Amino acid sequence: MSAGSARLAVEVVTLFPEAIREHLAIGVVGRALERGIVHVGTEDPRTYVQDVHRTVDDRPYGGGPGMVLKAEPVANAIAAAEARLPPGSPRIYLSAQGRRFDQAMARRLASLPGFLLLAGRYEGVDERVLEASIDDELSIGDYVLSGGELAALVVIDATVRLLPGVLNDAESALQESFAEAGGLLDWPHYTRPEEWRGKRVPEVLCGGNHAAIRRWRLQQALGRTEARRPDLLTDRELTGEERGLLLKYREEHES
Ligand code: 9D3
């Protein structure tokens, strides 16, 4: 399948295109690329610099430490990448100053025919190219990265997994089960052996009572979510069954 027929086209403007391409070759996303479900192109601003040193950065007006990515090479790279995308594809700048990327945004991006990601380096990109050629600005969380490439990979990974046909049946079933779809943390997982260094797998999981197993997993998901990420429960109505399971989890974990 060619770039034109892929369900989703992504372009990444980056000084490190090989880092993006290498990482995307592995796992679930690598499989989706091979099968032509998604196309990811890259564009390097350095391609658009003529001088012998291929200078993409310069000192900040006003002084201070660090360097700033120059407007012209970035604008040219964005224009070249944009020409390969469906018209109207949003152009997104990845920066620590952006709105926080989340699962709802991944769903929105997965519903589009295409989008462009600009990964910054150094202290940032000349503000004028952002005003001229960027539609949205996203951060992946409150910590300091060295550049936007890892953030671009995070956004692409979270988005591509949501495209139809990317996950196999087992992976899709897991994704649609109540934890991932319902905004809860996952329940604990176990595999053989049944006893490891004196620790046994919970009894209920070793039997064939599927209703009991479902209840146990839901209870674990609820209890762990309340303990570790109570913020996830504040906007979520609990069903009668869920409230009962959570009360019992609290009783069993009092200490
Ligand atoms: C003023 C101090 N600078 C850090 C020494 C600010 C700064 C500049 C460039 C902070 C981070 C970066 C590079 N970060 C990204 O490109 C980035 C990012 C991030 O750092 N955190 C969360 N999400 C993202 S998306 C892109």
Side-chain angles (χ1 to χ4, degrees):
M1 220 187 281
S2 72
S5 62
R7 186 191 164 90
L8 173 68
V10 182
E11 290 287 333
V12 185
V13 173
T14 169
L15 294 173
F16 300 99
E18 64 294 337
I20 298 287
R21 284 195 294 259
E22 269 174 43
H23 185 91
L24 291 178
I26 63 167
V28 164
V29 176
R31 203 171 65 198
L33 283 163
E34 272 171 20
R35 292 157 66 193
I37 299 169
V38 60
H39 172 83
V40 181
T42 54
E43 196 64 44
D44 184 348
R46 220 176 280 282
T47 313
Y48 300 93
V49 180
Q50 313 299 333
D51 72 284
V52 273
H53 300 295
R54 306 208 118 189
T55 317
V56 288
D57 60 330
D58 206 342
R59 284 149 41 220
Y61 276 108
M67 298 293 269
V68 175
L69 264 170
K70 291 165 69 64
E72 186 65 15
V74 172
N76 287 333
I78 291 175
E82 220 185 330
R84 294 192 292 266
L85 290 173
S89 298
R91 299 160 299 181
I92 299 161
Y93 176 42
L94 297 163
S95 98
Q97 282 70 50
R99 287 185 299 133
R100 172 86 123 279
F101 177 72
D102 62 12
Q103 190 67 17
M105 248 176 271
R107 279 192 289 266
R108 240 171 284 143
L109 291 177
S111 77
L112 299 175
F115 59 87
L116 179 150
L117 299 173
L118 168 60
R121 277 276 152 177
Y122 315 114
E123 282 312 297
V125 181
D126 189 306
E127 188 70 18
R128 293 166 296 184
V129 69
L130 303 179
E131 288 165 7
S133 307
I134 289 296
D135 305 301
D136 207 350
E137 195 166 332
L138 296 180
S139 159
I140 60 162
D142 294 338
Y143 35 78
V144 180
L145 300 173
S146 307
E149 284 75 17
L150 287 172
L153 290 170
V154 165
V155 168
I156 292 168
D157 189 281
T159 302
V160 169
R161 324 176 15 86
L162 299 175
L163 297 175
V166 167
L167 299 183
N168 63 37
D169 289 348
E171 291 164 338
S172 293
L174 214 56
Q175 183 180 54
E176 279 156 26
S177 71
F178 46 73
E180 193 166 337
L184 298 176
L185 300 185
D186 221 348
W187 53 81
H189 303 280
Y190 300 88
T191 188
R192 293 186 294 176
E194 206 174 308
E195 185 178 327
W196 179 76
R197 297 188 181 176
K199 293 160 136 350
R200 297 198 61 79
V201 173
E203 197 67 53
V204 61
L205 300 179
C206 300
N209 187 341
H210 297 292
I213 291 169
R214 189 198 68 86
R215 273 194 307 276
W216 183 86
R217 286 177 168 166
L218 176 55
Q219 180 178 49
Q220 291 290 319
L222 287 161
R224 291 173 147 217
T225 304
E226 184 179 59
R228 300 174 187 198
R229 290 291 306 279
D231 57 297
L232 295 179
L233 289 182
T234 52
D235 290 334
R236 193 181 185 282
E237 285 292 345
L238 295 190
T239 67
E241 182 195 27
E242 288 172 343
R243 254 179 287 122
L245 288 170
L246 188 53
L247 285 170
K248 221 172 92 222
Y249 182 96
R250 284 182 197 148
E251 281 170 23
E252 289 166 8
H253 290 77
E254 264 169 36
S255 58

